[in-house]
Structures are given as C-alpha cells and as structure tokens.
Amino acid sequence: MRWQGGRRSSNVEDRRGSGLGRPLALGGGAASIVVALLVLLLGGDPSELGLGGGEDPRSVDGTGGSGQRLDPRQEELKDFVSVVLADTEDTWPEVLAPVGVQYAQPRLVLFTDAVQSACGFQESAVGPFYCPPDRRVYLDLGFFDELDRRFGAPGDFAQAYVVAHEVGHHVQNLLGISRQVQSLRGRLSSEEANALSVLQELQADCFAGIWAHHAQRQRQLLESGDVEEGLAAASAIGDDTLQRRAQGYVVPESFTHGSSEQRVTWFRRGLEQGTLEACDTFGDAGVGTR
C-alpha cells in the first residue's frame, strides 16, 4: 500500500501500557481452541458473546501488565493504522451523503492484553472489535502477528482490511442496521440468530471493500498484490476454515461470520462496485439502511 505519505487520523487513542492485566488463563485443550477461534473472528459487539462486563483488574508496573515495555516495532503499525483510519474518514462521508447520513468519525483504541470499553472489560482473545455504545474500534496490534504467522495472511493491505471491517461495523451503527439486527436477534432461535450475525459480518466485509474501492479510485492507495492480500485475509478467517483447523470438521449452523467463500465474495463485491446498494447482504431479512 502507498500509505507512508498519507494523512494521520487524530482519532487514535493509545492505551497500550495502561496497566490492565494480561488475559486470564483458560487452560489447555478445548478452552485454548475457543480462544484461538475468538482471536480470529473479527467481531462486532463483543458483549453479544457474553465476554464483557467483568472486573477491571489493574497491575502496578505501568507496562500493560506483562512486565515488559511496549515493543518499539509496533510504532510503525500504529502509524499505519492511523493512516488507514484517516482514509476511511475521507471515504465514508461521500458514500453516506446520498442516503442522508452524516458520518461521525469513530475513535480507534490501541491496547495491549485487555481493555475497558462501554461493552465491558475485554481481553485480546476477542480479537479486534467495535463497540456500538461508545463508537470505538478496539485493536491489539498483536493480532496482526496472528494473522500473519498462524493464518498465513501477511501484508499491510490484509491489516488494512481488518481496520476497514471494524469501521464497517461503525457504518452499520450509523445506518441503524446494528440496532435492527440486535432487536431481531432477541426474537430468533440460536441458529437463526447466528445466520443473522453472518449477514451482518458479511456486510461489514463488503463495506471494507467499499473503502478499498474509493481509496484506489480517488487516491491510488493500492499497489500490485494488495487485493490478493485482502482476499487472503477474508478467506483465512472464514468460519469453515477456522472450524476445520480447530476441530477437523465444519458445523455450518454455528457460523457467526460466514464461510471463507462468502467473506471473499462480499469483500470483492464491495471492492468492485463501491456502493451501499451492492452490500445488501440481508435481502428479505427485514433489515434496511434506515
């Protein structure tokens, strides 16, 4: 990506080293598999998973609770996500204006190990997430290492896709989609609620593609190979791929984010068409943009 000369967002909030403790140990075996899955399920509101609202433990060493100082190599990543966030800020006002929605910029919170949000106390195991009540994206930069080493999705555009997906959840919040989905979920069976969550996540993938479409058309941000990086990231975190890696078989009715093929399809659709209309994943599910 051609990002080095890009504008930096003023909406990055750095809470690394804030003193919150390390993630609680859940033991080995099945519990570790669950954590590994959660790390890579790019999420919406983590409170829906029952993972928030706990105590806010603090350490006293001022090093993020790990006993180690912040890795200086992460400073370039911080700079990078600031540029990506700024570019989403330049993209979405124009996209939302035709539907009468004024874009309110979200804040992006960087943290290490754990963080307190309006969605509760969250550990890094939930992965990057967006919290609708406080309109913030939360990101532990260590997630990018997982994306690269464990799941074979390296590259700066793969990382940009992660940020753009979470900003996509913010756009859903502004459009009223998140509220509609939450309301519907309460009236559905577990399997039906999961299917609705899949549609919401696939739309966030498509919205990430909308950002990439406009970033390239207006600012020529992408380089050769970038699209492939984004598609590889979308594929690597499909529910079927994650379940097959963790347990050797796939349970489609338990999907909450969509298969690898679905995630790639919807990201590509947003990338190629660049419009909200292209991203109607809900169809006849009773969820609209207003």
Side-chain angles (χ1 to χ4, degrees):
M1 286 181 60
R2 302 181 183 91
W3 66 270
Q4 283 83 355
R7 179 179 70 84
R8 274 59 174 169
S9 173
S10 61
N11 289 308
V12 175
E13 184 178 331
D14 194 346
R15 298 189 198 171
R16 294 174 299 164
S18 65
L20 291 180
R22 293 178 63 82
L24 299 176
L26 295 180
S32 295
I33 292 174
V34 170
V35 171
L37 288 173
L38 289 174
V39 166
L40 288 133
L41 290 178
L42 296 176
D45 180 356
S47 63
E48 295 179 4
L49 300 175
L51 295 172
E55 294 294 322
D56 182 359
R58 303 274 176 172
S59 68
V60 295
D61 61 4
T63 59
S66 65
Q68 298 179 351
R69 295 295 168 184
L70 295 176
D71 186 348
R73 294 175 298 178
Q74 288 196 353
E75 293 311 299
E76 183 175 6
L77 280 177
K78 176 185 175 181
D79 202 32
F80 170 73
V81 298
S82 178
V83 171
V84 173
L85 183 64
D87 206 82
T88 65
E89 294 166 354
D90 295 338
T91 294
W92 281 108
E94 178 182 343
V95 176
L96 294 178
V99 295
V101 174
Q102 183 175 2
Y103 188 67
Q105 298 176 357
R107 292 183 68 79
L108 188 151
V109 178
L110 301 177
F111 70 96
T112 305
D113 295 334
V115 69
Q116 185 69 38
S117 76
C119 294
F121 178 74
Q122 306 295 340
E123 298 169 354
S124 296
V126 303
F129 67 93
Y130 173 70
C131 182
D134 63 18
R135 295 186 173 187
R136 280 169 165 79
V137 172
Y138 291 84
L139 171 65
D140 185 332
L141 291 172
F143 177 80
F144 293 147
D145 291 332
E146 295 288 335
L147 196 62
D148 180 358
R149 291 185 290 102
R150 187 178 298 183
F151 289 87
D156 52 9
F157 190 73
Q159 297 163 355
Y161 158 77
V162 171
V163 176
H165 174 98
E166 299 306 330
V167 172
H169 283 302
H170 176 64
V171 173
Q172 289 175 321
N173 194 26
L174 296 178
L175 289 169
I177 292 171
S178 301
R179 174 183 50 77
Q180 294 177 59
V181 169
Q182 184 66 15
S183 177
L184 282 173
R185 281 173 56 90
R187 304 195 297 269
L188 299 175
S189 67
S190 176
E191 184 175 332
E192 291 171 330
N194 284 345
L196 195 61
S197 293
V198 167
L199 298 178
Q200 186 176 15
E201 294 298 330
L202 293 177
Q203 187 177 64
D205 284 332
C206 191
F207 284 177
I210 288 179
W211 161 74
H213 172 93
H214 290 275
Q216 178 61 10
R217 184 170 65 92
Q218 297 174 0
R219 296 175 288 280
Q220 293 75 53
L221 202 65
L222 307 188
E223 297 178 303
S224 176
D226 281 346
V227 171
E228 289 75 16
E229 288 177 8
L231 295 173
S235 177
I237 54 179
D239 284 327
D240 54 340
T241 300
L242 296 178
Q243 288 185 358
R244 194 173 290 111
R245 289 177 65 103
Q247 59 195 23
Y249 59 92
V250 175
V251 185
E253 59 269 23
S254 69
F255 286 2
T256 58
H257 286 65
S259 68
S260 292
E261 181 180 4
Q262 288 175 315
R263 301 199 73 164
V264 166
T265 295
W266 282 100
F267 173 70
R268 187 191 295 274
R269 186 178 175 115
L271 176 66
E272 292 176 349
Q273 300 189 35
T275 66
L276 291 174
E277 292 76 14
C279 295
D280 182 14
T281 59
F282 293 97
D284 297 326
V287 177
T289 58
R290 293 302 291 159

